[in-house]
Amino acid sequence: MTVASDPRVTDRVHQELRDRIFAGDLPAGARLSVPALAERLGVSRSPVREAIVRLVHERLAREEPRRGAVVADVSLKSLIAIYEVREVLEGLATRLAVENAGRRLLRTLEEVLGEHERAVSAVDLTAASEADMTFHRLIREAADNAEVVRMLDDVQTQVRLAMRTTQVTGGPKLAIADHRAIVRAMEAGDPAAAEGAARAHIARLRAVLAGQAGGPR
Amino acid sequence: MTVASDPRVTDRVHQELRDRIFAGDLPAGARLSVPALAERLGVSRSPVREAIVRLVHERLAREEPRRGAVVADVSLKSLIAIYEVREVLEGLATRLAVENAGRRLLRTLEEVLGEHERAVSAVDLTAASEADMTFHRLIREAADNAEVVRMLDDVQTQVRLAMRTTQVTGGPKLAIADHRAIVRAMEAGDPAAAEGAARAHIARLRAVLAGQAGGPR
DNA sequence: TCCGCTGAAGTTACATGTAGATAGGTATTG
DNA sequence: CAATACCTATCTACATGTAACTTCAGCGGA
């Protein structure tokens, strides 16, 4: 009998490369040489090749035929485009969450919001960012729509990649106010208002990014 | 010197398998055996394996570790979920198109709309469907947002896959009326109205699908 | 100094080898 | 006759072989 968790080498390599990219260990533009990585990781070239194909597909790497793959970067321009998409997807997720979810979710969201406030007051950047991500994750899971979850995961991957070079903080206090407005609309059981509040939240973050585009140089 | 078009075997195999899936030649649930396909296509196993990895990533196939891949299916439930996402993405694309595009696009859209009407009057299903797709493609290309284009392409892939088993026609005449309303809002230069009209169009199609869910059996 | 050539090193892309897992049919047992 | 054990064909996943291509450093000529 085989154990339930029988991770394939390919999966491990893929995860390892993802981690290294997000850690900044493999910076944007770094070449992903299959033989070199295979030796470094102590595996053969096949699983490395397959892992790279996956990275290319999730756009953590770019590939040119016969030239190999390099770690991708995210320009500020495309980050703004990503936030335009994120705006409508978070809006959708929030509307669906209102239509599907009950008391239980709202209570959990309030707890996370409390945790978020505490973290911001204590100037604990890590905890604040984590509470922020948890807030959004709870909502999109409550949407009960696998497509929107997948696409927002995709968006988040690109945002994480961009994070290494661009700052996306749009004022911690304002984020909490936005989140509070979202929860209020959800509690009122008003799907359209909830969608609007979620969209406004992301639109505001996008405006911050757009400000950076013309601003500092 | 090498020719500019030097398609890799992997690319050809990938395209070939995509075509066969959409043609219904490889029906949902069909096993994608790497050695069998390699022999059938007269290539080695490596490019076949890589093509299958790509199919899995674009969700034309599903894979279970150590069991291989099979051609994916799309349930009516997930097709509806896909249309929920499509609704907000087409809305976004249309709003952005209004903000970016000029006379030129509007003229082209009117032409396509005319072609669409002609095809519907002549009961030419193929031409009508093509005009329909062209209409939406023009708008999303005009949005000038690579992310929304990518995601709508993704949506369209799933819709095409679903087409083989589910009918998505929501009344050809109504489709034209919807498209006309979209163009009107675009001509008025009203981004919010254009977004609303596009969303209403897709929402109506989704309602048709939802009707099928409970209806015929 | 600048340009183009050349050859070596490294890499990609495809092909092939193979251990161990899986599925499905056949025999065997209660 | 049903359930179970076994057996074989096939496959997956990883490893490895190799021709052709890309890159780039170093050299020679304008």
Side-chain angles (χ1 to χ4, degrees):
Chain A
M1 180 197 147
T2 330
V3 203
S5 65
D6 183 9
R8 294 178 294 184
V9 175
T10 294
D11 296 333
R12 285 199 0 259
V13 171
H14 177 229
Q15 190 57 51
E16 170 78 16
L17 292 178
R18 267 183 73 103
D19 290 349
R20 286 198 191 198
I21 289 171
F22 287 136
D25 193 349
L26 287 169
R31 296 206 55 183
L32 295 171
S33 156
V34 172
L37 288 170
E39 194 180 16
R40 191 142 174 9
L41 299 173
V43 299
S44 82
R45 288 160 3 222
S46 310
V48 173
R49 173 63 194 153
E50 186 163 328
I52 288 176
V53 169
R54 294 194 201 168
L55 291 176
V56 168
H57 234 288
E58 52 194 352
R59 285 173 304 148
L60 291 175
R62 265 184 251 293
E63 174 173 54
E64 270 184 296
R66 320 233 164 231
R67 294 202 187 188
V70 299
V71 177
D73 65 335
V74 180
S75 69
L76 187 51
K77 179 166 178 290
S78 46
L79 187 59
I80 290 171
I82 288 164
Y83 265 72
E84 278 172 336
V85 169
R86 187 180 171 192
E87 176 186 329
V88 298
L89 290 178
E90 294 276 8
L92 170 63
T94 308
R95 172 161 57 84
L96 294 176
V98 171
E99 287 166 2
N100 294 330
R103 296 276 129 236
R104 181 75 174 279
L105 172 69
L106 289 170
R107 220 174 8 243
T108 313
L109 285 177
E110 304 239 24
E111 277 168 30
V112 173
L113 207 49
E115 181 53 45
H116 196 167
E117 273 190 318
R118 216 168 306 133
V120 168
S121 300
V123 202
D124 182 345
L125 262 283
T126 311
S129 154
E130 196 164 319
D132 193 314
M133 279 174 51
T134 303
F135 182 85
H136 288 289
R137 183 173 51 72
L138 284 170
I139 288 179
R140 65 187 191 239
E141 279 170 8
D144 192 34
N145 176 320
E147 293 302 314
V148 80
V149 169
R150 167 199 313 287
M151 291 197 169
L152 280 171
D153 282 349
D154 210 52
V155 163
Q156 184 160 11
T157 297
Q158 292 299 105
V159 171
R160 283 186 70 187
L161 185 62
M163 283 284 190
R164 297 172 319 156
T165 53
T166 313
Q167 199 62 20
V168 197
T169 336
K173 297 261 171 67
L174 288 175
I176 287 179
D178 284 355
H179 286 192
R180 199 170 290 291
I182 292 169
V183 171
R184 251 201 314 273
M186 291 180 77
E187 278 168 345
D190 185 340
E195 176 168 7
R199 286 183 61 153
H201 174 44
I202 308 296
R204 196 177 59 71
L205 294 178
R206 176 160 52 76
V208 172
L209 287 172
Q212 282 182 27
R217 53 190 61 182
Chain B
M1 181 198 147
T2 329
V3 202
S5 66
D6 183 8
R8 295 178 291 184
V9 175
T10 293
D11 296 332
R12 287 203 353 263
V13 171
H14 176 230
Q15 192 58 50
E16 171 77 17
L17 292 178
R18 266 183 73 102
D19 290 348
R20 287 199 190 197
I21 290 171
F22 286 136
D25 193 350
L26 287 168
R31 295 206 55 184
L32 296 170
S33 156
V34 173
L37 288 170
E39 194 180 15
R40 193 140 173 12
L41 299 173
V43 299
S44 80
R45 288 160 2 220
S46 310
V48 174
R49 173 63 194 153
E50 186 162 328
I52 288 177
V53 169
R54 293 193 201 168
L55 292 177
V56 168
H57 233 287
E58 52 194 351
R59 285 172 304 148
L60 291 175
R62 265 184 251 294
E63 175 173 53
E64 270 185 295
R66 318 232 165 234
R67 292 205 187 184
V70 298
V71 177
D73 65 334
V74 180
S75 68
L76 187 52
K77 181 166 177 289
S78 44
L79 187 59
I80 291 170
I82 287 164
Y83 265 72
E84 277 171 337
V85 169
R86 187 179 171 193
E87 176 186 329
V88 299
L89 291 177
E90 295 276 6
L92 170 62
T94 307
R95 172 161 56 85
L96 293 176
V98 172
E99 287 167 2
N100 294 330
R103 295 277 129 237
R104 180 75 174 279
L105 172 68
L106 289 170
R107 224 179 1 248
T108 314
L109 285 177
E110 304 239 25
E111 278 168 31
V112 173
L113 207 49
E115 181 53 45
H116 195 167
E117 272 188 320
R118 216 168 305 134
V120 169
S121 299
V123 201
D124 182 344
L125 262 285
T126 312
S129 156
E130 196 165 320
D132 192 313
M133 278 174 51
T134 303
F135 182 86
H136 287 290
R137 184 174 50 73
L138 284 170
I139 288 179
R140 65 185 192 241
E141 278 169 8
D144 191 35
N145 177 321
E147 292 302 314
V148 80
V149 169
R150 167 198 311 287
M151 289 196 171
L152 280 172
D153 282 348
D154 209 52
V155 163
Q156 185 160 9
T157 297
Q158 291 299 106
V159 171
R160 283 186 70 186
L161 185 63
M163 283 284 188
R164 298 172 319 156
T165 53
T166 312
Q167 199 64 18
V168 198
T169 335
K173 297 263 170 67
L174 288 175
I176 287 179
D178 285 355
H179 286 191
R180 199 170 290 290
I182 292 169
V183 172
R184 250 200 316 272
M186 291 180 77
E187 278 168 344
D190 185 340
E195 175 168 7
R199 286 183 60 152
H201 174 44
I202 307 297
R204 195 177 58 71
L205 294 178
R206 177 161 50 77
V208 172
L209 287 172
Q212 281 182 28
R217 55 189 59 187

